Amino acid sequence: MGSERLRLAAASLLWLAAGALAQAAGASTRTWTGAAVLALAGLALAWPMLMRRPLVPPPMPEVPPPIDTRRLTLLQAQMEHLPVAAWALAGDRLLPLSSRARRLAAPGAVRDETALHRLLCGATVSGPVLLDTERGSERWQLQRQPLALDGQAQALLVLVPLENELESESLQAWQQLVQVLTHEIMNSLTPIQSLSQTALTLLDEPRTAEGYEAELRLALDAIAHRAEGLAGFVRTYRRVSQWPAPTLAPVPLGDFFLRLQQAVAPAWAARGGQASFELASPSLQLLADAGQLEQALLALLTNAAQATADQPAPRLWVQARQGRGGRLQISVRDNGPGVPAGLERKIFLPFFSAREGGQGIGLTVVRQLVHGMGGRVRHVRPLEGGAAFVLSF
């Protein structure tokens, strides 16, 4: 590489000298001959390098790749038939991407198309929204995804209908609740009706009959007992359905867990078991109603104690940690037999119990209390066995 540079430099000097001789004023024939000799010498030095260098063609203008019209048509057809209303937002310009988006803005759908435009253009976060349609107020879920295309800030907006799904879930919940209530009420009314007929039959018999008063008293006592049971059932239902609004305040979970452990750990130890309470961080706090949170957890701890009644070494784990998205999670897990398969969706129904003799209100109370504090409760099936309930706030 260094020798090539020397050759090129020498050739350049020879060409410059030849040019200077050729341009000299009054150059003679000998001068011109010398200039020609110098030029040829420079060419001889540079020629090997020129022969080794490939000719570089001039840069060609960039040609964009051809558009695959078939693929583009297929993508447009897929977007057109999306089961949600989707738009692309660029500035204040909304471009509908699906037929459902066009139908939603057409006459007979939303009452005010301008209000829909303002809602979509002004949305900054995802969340539930209410749309005033010709069918009434409907619940939708708005999802917003920011994008950057060709250096331009845009957003993808999607409205997911919730009304039909929520109505179906609500109707199913009411049907299940009515079935449970009907079952419990009929369990009391059927013997009351039978005992009443028995008492009327006894009144038609001669009062001097042997055992008349004893049988009549027994029938009336049984009626009173079943009526008291039915009244207790109604009181329990009223207690489950009418809870006071929570008073939210910061709850330090370290002190809170310590109180719970002192309350329940001795009973687990007396059974030959162990109850452990763990915090991922000692500084964890939760905005909640301390009394209602304690009542919800005590209900779960009671269920865990009952579920592990036959275990030789019962175990209870209560843990609190910060989950994804900053949500705080409290889990309650035991080493009992777990919830029977197929009953996972029924265990939160009022008065439904997978345990013989259970009242079926514990998990209903837990869910109502947790929901009232802005949280959720769900059942999970641990890989280690047993049952686990997770409260998310």
Side-chain angles (χ1 to χ4, degrees), residues 221-341:
D221 285 345
I223 292 174
H225 177 73
R226 294 310 309 162
E228 178 59 28
L230 184 59
F233 172 80
V234 174
R235 287 194 299 269
T236 302
Y237 176 75
R238 180 181 298 175
R239 181 168 61 89
V240 170
S241 60
Q242 296 178 355
W243 284 102
T247 302
L248 303 182
V251 179
L253 292 182
D255 297 338
F256 182 79
F257 271 23
L258 182 60
R259 292 197 303 271
L260 280 180
Q261 187 172 14
Q262 292 173 344
V264 302
W268 285 79
R271 297 166 51 206
Q274 182 181 358
S276 62
F277 290 73
E278 302 175 6
L279 283 175
S281 170
S283 61
L284 283 180
Q285 289 191 353
L286 175 63
L287 188 65
D289 186 309
Q292 294 190 9
L293 179 63
E294 182 174 0
Q295 190 164 4
L297 285 176
L298 284 175
L300 291 177
L301 300 182
T302 301
N303 283 356
Q306 293 171 348
T308 58
D310 298 330
Q311 296 295 324
R315 287 295 309 273
L316 170 71
W317 297 270
V318 183
Q319 299 173 324
R321 64 182 181 88
Q322 203 81 27
R324 294 180 179 179
R327 298 182 70 89
L328 192 142
Q329 294 182 341
I330 300 176
S331 63
V332 177
R333 181 168 66 91
D334 62 61
N335 64 340
V339 177

Side-chain angles (χ1 to χ4, degrees), residues 27-360:
S28 62
T29 303
R30 182 177 295 178
T31 305
W32 280 103
T33 303
V37 171
L38 291 174
L40 289 173
L43 182 60
L45 286 171
W47 183 257
M49 293 181 293
L50 294 175
M51 292 301 294
R52 287 199 299 269
R53 293 180 178 272
L55 293 177
V56 180
M60 298 294 292
E62 293 186 4
V63 179
I67 298 177
D68 189 345
T69 55
R70 181 176 176 277
R71 187 176 180 83
L72 181 60
T73 302
L74 178 61
L75 179 60
Q76 289 175 340
Q78 292 171 340
M79 294 290 292
E80 182 71 16
H81 293 88
L82 283 175
V84 296
W87 293 264
L89 175 63
D92 59 351
R93 182 171 175 268
L94 273 176
L95 175 64
L97 301 177
S98 64
S99 59
R100 187 150 195 172
R102 281 184 285 275
R103 291 199 306 269
L104 191 61
V110 294
R111 293 181 181 273
D112 189 350
E113 184 181 354
T114 305
L116 175 63
H117 188 279
R118 285 198 306 268
L119 171 67
L120 295 173
C121 293
T124 57
V125 295
S126 301
V129 295
L130 286 176
L131 296 183
D132 187 16
T133 70
E134 295 294 340
R135 294 181 295 272
S137 181
E138 295 185 358
R139 289 162 289 186
W140 295 65
Q141 177 73 19
L142 173 62
Q143 297 291 335
R144 185 182 190 278
Q145 178 62 50
L147 300 172
L149 301 176
D150 294 332
Q152 182 183 10
Q154 299 186 14
L156 181 65
L157 301 173
V158 176
L159 278 176
V160 183
L162 300 178
E163 194 66 31
N164 291 339
E165 288 77 6
L166 290 175
E167 286 185 355
S168 177
E169 289 287 335
S170 177
L171 179 60
Q172 184 180 6
W174 275 110
Q175 288 174 342
Q176 292 173 336
L177 178 59
V178 168
Q179 290 176 0
V180 173
L181 292 176
T182 303
H183 175 74
E184 293 295 331
I185 292 173
M186 290 304 297
N187 281 346
S188 294
L189 289 181
T190 300
I192 289 177
Q193 182 181 15
S194 175
L195 291 168
S196 299
Q197 292 293 336
T198 300
L200 289 174
T201 303
L202 289 173
L203 289 176
D204 293 336
E205 293 182 358
R207 297 193 178 187
T208 57
E210 184 178 354
Y212 162 79
E213 291 186 0
E215 291 184 13
L216 183 59
R217 183 178 298 276
L218 182 63
L220 293 177
D221 285 345
I223 292 174
H225 177 73
R226 294 310 309 162
E228 178 59 28
L230 184 59
F233 172 80
V234 174
R235 287 194 299 269
T236 302
Y237 176 75
R238 180 181 298 175
R239 181 168 61 89
V240 170
S241 60
Q242 296 178 355
W243 284 102
T247 302
L248 303 182
V251 179
L253 292 182
D255 297 338
F256 182 79
F257 271 23
L258 182 60
R259 292 197 303 271
L260 280 180
Q261 187 172 14
Q262 292 173 344
V264 302
W268 285 79
R271 297 166 51 206
Q274 182 181 358
S276 62
F277 290 73
E278 302 175 6
L279 283 175
S281 170
S283 61
L284 283 180
Q285 289 191 353
L286 175 63
L287 188 65
D289 186 309
Q292 294 190 9
L293 179 63
E294 182 174 0
Q295 190 164 4
L297 285 176
L298 284 175
L300 291 177
L301 300 182
T302 301
N303 283 356
Q306 293 171 348
T308 58
D310 298 330
Q311 296 295 324
R315 287 295 309 273
L316 170 71
W317 297 270
V318 183
Q319 299 173 324
R321 64 182 181 88
Q322 203 81 27
R324 294 180 179 179
R327 298 182 70 89
L328 192 142
Q329 294 182 341
I330 300 176
S331 63
V332 177
R333 181 168 66 91
D334 62 61
N335 64 340
V339 177
L343 300 183
E344 295 87 348
R345 293 180 60 87
K346 296 181 178 180
I347 56 176
F348 290 101
L349 286 176
F351 310 110
F352 176 86
S353 178
R355 180 174 54 86
E356 185 177 355
Q359 291 184 337

